[in-house]
Amino acid sequence: MSTENQTLPKGQYHRGGPDDLRSPCPIVNSLANHGLIARDGRNITASSLKAALSQIGLGFDTAGGLVKIAFQDHIDPPAGEPPSTPNFGLRDANQVNEDGEAVLNLDQLGRPHAIEHDVSVTRQDRALGDYVHLNPDLYQRFLQSSGNGSSFSIPDVGKYRKKRFDEQKRENPELGLNKRMHYIACAEMGGIMCVFGKGALYHVPKEYMEAVFGEERLPYEEGWRPRWTKVFLPEAGVVTLGISHYAWPF
């Protein structure tokens, strides 16, 4: 990490450099770019990640649940065999910092057989190319999927997820999206709708999506502020099911 990056105040945006680790998730990358977790994407503790997720509006159950799952040990299935049981853990066994605390690196969010999945709205499938970094063509197509051209609704993001599934089913012979991963993908977008959406229908302004996906930046400059009321699991679950209704591919 550069000297400049080390001296930036917490909260100030600075895009990660070539030596910094990043994940396939633009929200988590945004947390690092704002210094809410380690800017270099290395040795992130559970407490720092939980605090950062809470700071942008997730409730203790939502943030705590995500962190608890992610900080489990990662277990790959035997070579050539599909995972026998769901395993969302991302850490290497005994992966700790100098103080003995469990830690995680951001690039580990892209490990196979965990939470990373095919049919992203802005990333390519693992079998087809770069599944970690933003794909410019997919990003522009995602921005064009807004129904009214100025914001994104639950039907907008759900229908676009369904469209992406149909495309990848044709283009990717190794497509690996099952029902479990479908709900994970819908939950990811559900979290975005809950955190950044406005009003009872969770409409996310297009400029917020451009900041988060295009720049991996929290959209403070566009007027966003964290919610007064946190996003707890029941609310996130309802929004996720709403997206899944429009995105259901099976």
Side-chain angles (χ1 to χ4, degrees), residues 34-179:
H34 282 275
L36 302 182
I37 55 176
R39 288 186 182 271
D40 65 358
R42 293 175 171 82
N43 295 324
I44 296 163
T45 63
S47 59
S48 67
L49 181 56
K50 193 184 302 182
L53 292 171
S54 176
Q55 188 168 336
I56 66 170
L58 296 189
F60 69 88
D61 57 348
T62 313
L66 290 172
V67 172
K68 181 178 180 180
I69 290 171
F71 271 72
Q72 294 175 347
D73 289 351
H74 180 72
I75 303 172
D76 277 319
E81 296 183 19
S84 57
T85 57
N87 168 49
F88 301 112
L90 299 173
R91 292 174 57 247
D92 292 329
N94 303 314
Q95 185 178 349
V96 296
N97 62 16
E98 58 186 12
D99 296 320
E101 293 180 276
V103 293
L104 184 68
N105 298 329
L106 286 193
D107 61 339
Q108 291 175 299
L109 271 68
R111 303 186 89 151
H113 315 303
I115 57 176
E116 190 271 327
H117 55 82
D118 285 340
V119 195
S120 166
V121 295
T122 59
R123 267 71 174 169
Q124 191 56 272
D125 287 358
R126 179 184 294 271
L128 300 182
D130 185 350
Y131 63 94
V132 174
H133 300 99
L134 182 75
N135 180 288
D137 292 336
L138 291 177
Y139 170 60
Q140 290 301 322
R141 289 179 54 205
F142 172 60
L143 292 180
Q144 294 166 10
S145 69
S146 163
N148 61 14
S150 61
S151 66
F152 289 80
S153 66
I154 287 174
D156 288 338
V157 297
K159 290 175 182 178
Y160 189 66
R161 281 215 51 78
K162 176 63 166 62
K163 182 178 181 179
R164 286 282 298 132
F165 177 84
D166 292 340
E167 291 172 348
Q168 298 308 92
K169 191 174 182 179
R170 294 191 302 268
E171 297 176 9
N172 182 5
E174 300 180 31
L175 184 66
L177 190 82
N178 55 24
K179 291 181 181 179

Side-chain angles (χ1 to χ4, degrees), residues 51 53-60 226-232 235:
L53 292 171
S54 176
Q55 188 168 336
I56 66 170
L58 296 189
F60 69 88
R227 294 172 28 157
W228 289 101
T229 56
K230 301 286 188 181
V231 180
F232 292 102
E235 179 185 0

